[in-house]
Amino acid sequence: MDNFAEYMVKKRPDSQDNAKKAGIILLAVLLCAASVFLVFVTHIPFILVITCAIIYGAYYLISGTSVEYEYAVTNGEMDVDKIIARRKRVHLITVDVGKFDAYGEMTDDIPDNTERTVVLCADNTGEGEYYADLETEEYGATRIIFTPNDAVQDAIAAALPRQLRFQKGQA
């Protein structure tokens, strides 16, 4: 019988995302004002098409800051995808849960290792985040930080190595 769970989490915008949106809006307003001014100066109404293109470009760039992460665990294999603006899917990583070196809830007690590649695919709230440490061929020493729901946690727990399942039961 297959063991399958998936969950999608939306990344909450941070101050950097908000600054990008503000900059895009400011630049779009300035460019639109300049193109409208050009229409009045040159009397060429075709320039208004440029204004429409600027508005659409600003919308496209602002909507591109909307990010979701999808976790799918199938028979002990976890896939993480990044979905940008509900129009583009980027595959981040595929790992075998049985190869986890460490797994648990992310707390301040968990030591940071600067030599690990961090795959950050959490919702950016800091609540309910879990980590998984493992070795991958693609990235070497890797830490995945994510925000799973109960179904994904159960699917991961079923495929964890015996020593990690035992540690989790002790905690």
Side-chain angles (χ1 to χ4, degrees):
M1 184 168 156
D2 287 341
N3 185 8
F4 176 76
E6 73 178 342
Y7 183 58
M8 190 175 294
V9 63
K10 184 173 176 72
K11 179 184 171 261
R12 300 234 172 113
D14 56 6
S15 58
Q16 186 178 11
D17 292 333
N18 292 333
K20 285 179 188 176
K21 289 177 186 177
I24 291 168
I25 291 171
L26 180 65
L27 185 63
V29 167
L30 291 174
L31 290 174
C32 285
S35 66
V36 169
F37 177 74
L38 276 175
V39 169
F40 287 122
V41 171
T42 61
H43 301 291
I44 302 173
F46 183 72
I47 295 176
L48 289 177
V49 172
I50 294 172
T51 305
C52 294
I54 291 169
I55 292 170
Y56 177 74
Y59 162 76
Y60 187 84
L61 291 173
I62 288 172
S63 67
T65 61
S66 173
V67 174
E68 298 174 327
Y69 296 103
E70 180 183 53
Y71 321 122
V73 181
T74 307
N75 295 329
E77 187 173 86
M78 183 168 119
D79 291 316
V80 179
D81 293 337
K82 179 179 182 179
I83 302 167
I84 303 166
R86 295 187 179 182
R87 65 176 167 250
K88 182 179 178 185
R89 177 180 293 261
V90 178
H91 180 72
L92 294 181
I93 193 167
T94 298
V95 295
D96 183 4
V97 175
K99 295 184 180 178
F100 283 1
D101 299 328
Y103 171 75
E105 192 164 359
M106 193 70 180
T107 62
D108 293 336
D109 300 335
I110 306 299
D112 289 338
N113 185 347
T114 57
E115 295 178 11
R116 285 194 178 275
T117 301
V118 177
V119 179
L120 182 60
C121 48
D123 65 0
N124 206 24
T125 62
E127 298 175 7
E129 290 182 351
Y130 280 73
Y131 75 98
D133 292 342
L134 70 152
E135 287 285 328
T136 63
E137 291 180 16
E138 188 175 1
Y139 301 114
T142 305
R143 172 170 284 170
I144 302 171
I145 300 174
F146 60 109
T147 313
N149 65 352
D150 291 336
V152 171
Q153 287 182 39
D154 291 343
I156 289 172
L160 280 174
R162 193 173 297 274
Q163 67 271 18
L164 290 181
R165 267 188 269 166
F166 180 71
Q167 288 176 354
K168 188 172 186 214
Q170 290 285 337

